[in-house]
Structures are given as structure tokens and as C-alpha cells.
Amino acid sequence: SAKAHRLTTDGFSGDWSPDGKKLAFSAGVHGYSGVAIYDPTTKETDLLIVPGKDPRWSPDGKHIAFVRDCQFLRLEELTTTERKDQMRWAIDEEVWVMNADGTQPKRLARGGWPSWGKDSTHVYYHSRLDNMLYIISIVGPDVEPKRIMACGSLFPSVSPDNQRVAYLEETSLKVKDLASQALVAEWRVPFGTWGGPVWSPTRNELCLGAGSSVGDRTGMWIYPLDSNEPVKVLDSQIMAASWAPDGTKLVFGLRPPY
């Protein structure tokens, strides 16, 4: 509490806009969520679409990729105070894209945990059907996805320059070159974790939220690729984080009850 302040409640998986002025996040709890935008200046929240989670801004700020883990969700299911986490089947997830104001949503493919191509016209995602990392264009009505590499992790994160991919495999954090698939770095993680690593804007660091269960206070760690010496920066039940574009701030979610 000495280092951070609360932006909003009942949310997870936040992502800063490219200009650092707004925050897209999953409003609600796991299994009952929509994509919303929070404005730190006005402190207003705008719910864009339901259902939805794991929003990711395109580098040009014009689109948001997100995930749907169910086809329909009544608004009262999102807002009821009696809701509880419901872990839905990952195999049912779909990657969607929409304009940054929530208009013109379009389904891209079955899969989850999207990352953007630096040209803002392609989205990387993980297929839960065959455990592969794919890339797909958001331009055109019938664009076929392209297979990139095998990946057993549900949460692979592609670097902002699209040169590397980071993911957790069993007890190790691995970083591979996306083109050659050669191993660039590896850290044997000394704790249980959930979710995926997040890249810094400089592409030289990875952030890892270590909370794997309710009550787990392992905290938040930063892994610098050039030193191979991870640093613990915060305690508590911290999930995945997102760097502000200027690298000066981190936004993160706490595990249930948020």
C-alpha cells in the first residue's frame, strides 16, 4: 500500500493504451466478465462489450483484441454481488477483435491469450486445440491463421518487436527466438505460478505475477534478460501486470476477492 494505489475493483488482466492515458481490463470475475475501459483522469469506467476478458490494445491504439470464454452472458450475471469465479473450459475460448470504442466486434479464431503484431494488423494467439502458437491477420473476411510453433503453455507472450516469445513450461520461464525457435534465456522459477509473463516496453525485461492460488503471497517478480538475476519487487497475491508505455508504472491485479 506504500507503493501502489487502487484504480478499480472487481477486475483483472489490465492493459495500458499505447498513449498511456487509458486502461483496458476484464471487468468482473473469471467466468463472468466483460471488456471495459478505465480513465485514470476522470476515474470513469466504460463497459464496452460482454462477454469478454484479457483485452490487448493494438500498437496504433485503434483496436482491442480480447477473448470470449462463453457465447452469451446476461448483464445481471456480470453485475450481481453474489457472483463467484467460474473457471470455464479453455478449449471453448475464442479470440475476437473490435474497434477501441467497442464497435464492430469480429471473431478471429478459437484460442486465447492474444499478443499484437507490431504492424497492428496481425494477432498472435494460442490454440487450445493443438497447443500451438498462431498468427492471424485482422484484415479481410476469410484470412487463414498461420502456425508458428508448438507451445504447451496456455499463456505465451510475444515481445513488442515480434522477435521473441516468452512462456512458462513446467517449472521454467523460457524465452525463444520467434523465427529460429532457439532458446534465448531460461529461468527455473522457484515457486508455483499462474498466467503468463509480460514484456516491458524496452523488451529487456519480463514481469511475472506469482500468485498461483488464493492466499499465495509470493508476489511480483521482474526478470531482466541481460543479467539472469530475477528481482522480487512486490509481495501479496499478485497476478499478471502491464507496463505503462513509458516504463514508469505497472498496473496489476490481485487474486480473488480482487
Side-chain angles (χ1 to χ4, degrees):
S1 61
K3 298 180 180 180
H5 64 277
R6 185 173 64 189
L7 292 181
T8 185
T9 58
D10 293 329
F12 60 97
S13 192
D15 187 56
W16 288 107
S17 61
D19 60 8
K21 294 181 178 179
K22 294 185 178 181
L23 180 73
F25 70 101
S26 311
V29 299
H30 285 278
Y32 298 96
S33 65
V35 175
I37 300 294
Y38 176 77
D39 188 327
T41 302
T42 64
K43 296 181 171 53
E44 294 181 349
T45 298
D46 183 17
L47 182 63
L48 298 185
I49 197 166
V50 175
K53 67 173 185 175
D54 298 338
R56 300 291 183 265
W57 291 87
S58 62
D60 62 8
K62 296 180 179 179
H63 296 90
I64 294 176
F66 65 100
V67 174
R68 280 190 159 166
D69 54 10
C70 60
Q71 294 297 320
F72 304 101
L73 186 66
R74 297 192 305 273
L75 195 57
E76 55 265 30
E77 292 181 283
L78 180 69
T79 58
T80 178
T81 57
E82 298 177 355
R83 63 194 169 173
K84 294 181 179 179
D85 272 12
Q86 177 177 323
M87 301 309 293
R88 302 185 187 272
W89 293 104
I91 198 171
D92 294 330
E93 292 182 349
E94 296 178 344
V95 179
W96 286 62
V97 67
M98 62 182 173
N99 293 335
D101 61 1
T103 60
Q104 298 184 14
K106 180 176 72 171
R107 179 188 181 276
L108 294 180
R110 293 187 67 178
W113 205 251
S115 299
W116 277 95
K118 60 184 179 181
D119 61 1
S120 295
T121 63
H122 291 81
V123 172
Y124 295 90
Y125 69 93
H126 181 267
S127 170
R128 281 70 164 104
L129 298 175
D130 57 6
N131 286 325
M132 299 287 297
L133 179 67
Y134 283 84
I135 186 172
I136 188 171
S137 173
I138 68 169
V139 181
D142 298 306
V143 180
E144 287 295 319
K146 178 184 177 182
R147 184 179 296 181
I148 302 295
M149 59 177 280
C151 182
S153 169
L154 295 179
F155 310 105
S157 297
V158 177
S159 61
D161 60 3
N162 302 160
Q163 298 296 310
R164 295 174 175 178
V165 58
Y167 60 93
L168 291 162
E169 185 174 84
E170 296 180 349
T171 59
S172 294
L173 171 63
K174 294 186 176 182
V175 181
K176 286 187 175 182
D177 180 85
L178 206 58
S180 67
Q181 299 182 25
L183 189 65
V184 175
E186 183 175 8
W187 173 38
R188 188 173 179 85
V189 183
F191 46 78
T193 188
W194 180 92
V198 178
W199 291 90
S200 73
T202 64
R203 309 178 299 278
N204 296 323
E205 300 166 301
L206 287 161
C207 181
L208 189 64
S212 59
S213 61
V214 176
D216 186 338
R217 303 183 66 84
T218 308
M220 180 190 294
W221 292 68
I222 291 179
Y223 175 69
L225 296 181
D226 56 354
S227 72
N228 201 32
E229 295 182 3
V231 179
K232 184 177 182 179
V233 294
L234 286 175
D235 289 310
S236 195
Q237 304 164 234
I238 295 172
M239 296 170 65
S242 172
W243 255 285
D246 62 4
T248 62
K249 297 186 293 291
L250 280 166
V251 62
F252 57 88
L254 299 181
R255 290 197 62 84
Y258 311 111

